[in-house]
Amino acid sequence: MAEFDYDVLVIGAGPGGYVAAIRAAQLGLKTACAESRETLGGTCLNVGCIPSKAMLHASELYDEAANGMLAKLGVKIDAMSLDLPTMQGQRTDAVKGLTGGIEFLFKKNKVTWLKGLATFTGANSVEVGGEKVTAKNIVIATGSSVTPLPGVTIDNAGGKIVDSTGALELDKVPGHLVVVGGGVIGLEMGSVWRRLGAKVTVVEYLDQILPGMDGEVRKEANKIFKKQGFDYKLGTKVTGAEVVGDGVKLTVEPAAGGDAETVEADVVLVSIGRRPNTEGLGLDKIGLEVNQRGQIETDHDFATKVPGVWAIGDVIPGPMLAHKAEDEGIAVAENIAGLTGIVNHDLIPSVVYTKPEIAGVGLTEEAAKEKGAVKVGKFPMMANSRAKTNHEPEGFVKIIADAETDKVLGVWIIAVPAGTMIAQVAQAMEFGASSEDIAYTCHAHPTHSEAIKEAAMAVTGKPIHM
């Protein structure tokens, strides 16, 4: 009789967990994955990355048709209207297709789905749905959930004070949407409803939107979104929110201290970040503590201090991004199988899926300058032939390179397809590229990506089209 039920048990079937389970099974390990949701895919597929992109894409097309861009291109629409139920329907269809796809991959790779919440009963055992399950290796991949705002109660079912999940489900366009938090999720969901007709106000505690991104990118993004109709209350904190009649009364005050004021909204979206899901795991049963930020600490191989227990994704330090979790899922499975699984945490790209998109990888200019002398090359999208032809002139590509060695340290892009463009530079940086390497790589014409080549040429002061 086998000593354990499984070689690997993964707790959580989000992007980190399901990928870890599939990779472990591919490597010949008997694998199970515990997941309490009715569908696989975690936050990302069910209520995060995927459904928000479905709404961003649909709302973008609506905006182009409603606000004259198509007319400029000679596409005339005599009458049009918003069919929100259909727009919401295509979102749920996308989610259904992709979550079902993971279920198919589990079956194909012989991964057992254990339905229910898993709680540790020992270092090699958990309880799932009233049953005890043992495994030689257990991977914690429980992800994250919305950070609450003190004094504000989220009620997604009520549709007035919502988090990102509730913001996806609104059944009508709010007259005034107040977004608390000027980060990625707030700006993306704010963009959806602004395009569909809402007035949008962003309340941000810091003095600028998009914390953590390159300073120049943050300023430019602020300008672009303002032009699109976003209002801002920067350096402002929310002290309370209550539903009054059909709306919400929000109390705010300057972050630095000062007089409070009231803001009235139809809907308030709270998006001030996410926190690791570690409650209810029974970590105390195995002697595993969390750090001050509620995260589980691991070594370079994603092993915790408890032998046979591993952790990946949003529950460990680093950016809370689906693709970071996926890479860690592959790496942890390979490490468990005795191979070498590595993730380069210095090169995790980040993307904001607004229009234009905003993407970055590596160091900001500010962080790079702290480490030594740098050279910066910039190229505006308005000088890029494809962007110009497509009436997409906003944004730029910025490349930061070491002044001495010319090694690329960071790249920041504001451009309509920035999320796709960033892959090229992430790969170049993974290979230790210099700006010269990028500048002397042939780029197809006419493409938005030529702006990357020109920015690389600008590092040494010689772009052609500027």
Side-chain angles (χ1 to χ4, degrees), residues 343-363:
V343 176
N344 182 355
H345 286 99
D346 293 332
L347 294 180
I348 307 285
S350 54
V351 185
V352 190
Y353 294 92
T354 47
K355 186 173 184 183
E357 292 179 350
I358 302 159
V361 65
L363 298 175

Side-chain angles (χ1 to χ4, degrees), residues 187 209 221-230 232 354 358:
L187 292 170
I209 60 169
N222 187 321
K223 267 191 252 172
I224 290 169
F225 297 139
K226 210 168 204 169
K227 205 167 136 194
Q228 290 177 4
F230 276 73
Y232 298 108
T354 47
I358 302 159

Side-chain angles (χ1 to χ4, degrees), residues 420-433:
T420 302
M421 290 165 72
I422 205 72
Q424 178 206 331
V425 284
Q427 190 159 39
M429 289 168 73
E430 187 63 58
F431 283 99

Side-chain angles (χ1 to χ4, degrees), residues 123-393:
N124 296 102
S125 62
V126 297
E127 192 179 287
V128 188
E131 281 184 45
K132 189 182 173 188
V133 181
T134 62
K136 190 177 179 187
N137 297 279
I138 298 177
V139 180
I140 303 168
T142 45
S144 61
S145 48
V146 171
T147 302
L149 182 62
V152 177
T153 306
I154 302 290
D155 175 17
N156 286 332
K160 291 293 173 194
I161 302 176
V162 299
D163 60 19
S164 52
T165 301
L168 284 166
E169 302 273 356
L170 299 179
D171 56 10
K172 67 174 185 184
V173 179
H176 184 203
L177 171 68
V178 173
V179 178
V180 183
V184 178
I185 296 167
L187 292 170
E188 288 185 1
M189 291 315 303
S191 289
V192 166
W193 295 107
R194 187 209 56 77
R195 290 170 193 160
L196 299 179
K199 177 191 172 189
V200 177
T201 303
V202 176
V203 181
E204 168 57 50
Y205 185 81
L206 300 173
D207 60 3
Q208 189 52 280
I209 60 169
L210 295 172
M213 290 202 149
D214 182 86
E216 213 171 345
V217 163
R218 295 173 76 188
K219 274 187 203 149
E220 187 63 21
N222 187 321
K223 267 191 252 172
I224 290 169
F225 297 139
K226 210 168 204 169
K227 205 167 136 194
Q228 290 177 4
F230 276 73
D231 283 333
Y232 298 108
K233 281 187 176 297
L234 301 175
T236 304
K237 72 172 173 183
V238 173
T239 54
E242 59 170 333
V243 177
V244 180
D246 279 346
V248 184
K249 273 199 170 167
L250 211 63
T251 38
V252 300
E253 61 184 54
D259 295 337
E261 61 172 307
T262 306
V263 179
E264 292 189 3
D266 295 285
V267 175
V268 171
L269 161 59
V270 177
S271 57
I272 57 167
R274 299 183 65 81
R275 60 178 181 178
N277 289 333
T278 52
E279 278 179 35
L281 274 173
L283 297 181
D284 52 326
K285 301 260 176 65
I286 56 168
L288 198 56
E289 308 88 30
V290 293
N291 67 17
Q292 281 180 312
R293 302 187 71 175
Q295 300 158 328
I296 297 166
E297 298 280 355
T298 67
D299 66 11
H300 192 63
D301 294 332
F302 307 103
T304 69
K305 69 173 195 176
V306 179
V309 178
W310 313 70
I312 57 166
D314 288 4
V315 287
I316 71 168
M320 289 181 167
L321 296 168
H323 44 279
K324 176 242 193 203
E326 287 189 61
D327 283 8
E328 290 174 350
I330 292 169
V332 77
E334 291 178 351
N335 290 329
I336 288 168
L339 304 173
T340 309
I342 297 169
V343 176
N344 182 355
H345 286 99
D346 293 332
L347 294 180
I348 307 285
S350 54
V351 185
V352 190
Y353 294 92
T354 47
K355 186 173 184 183
E357 292 179 350
I358 302 159
V361 65
L363 298 175
T364 62
E365 186 178 344
E366 295 80 7
K369 278 179 173 168
E370 279 176 25
K371 292 174 182 277
V374 299
K375 280 186 178 173
V376 177
K378 261 182 80 180
F379 190 78
M381 294 312 293
M382 67 169 62
N384 171 271
S385 59
R386 183 67 186 276
K388 208 174 174 64
T389 308
N390 285 11
H391 305 277
E392 296 163 350

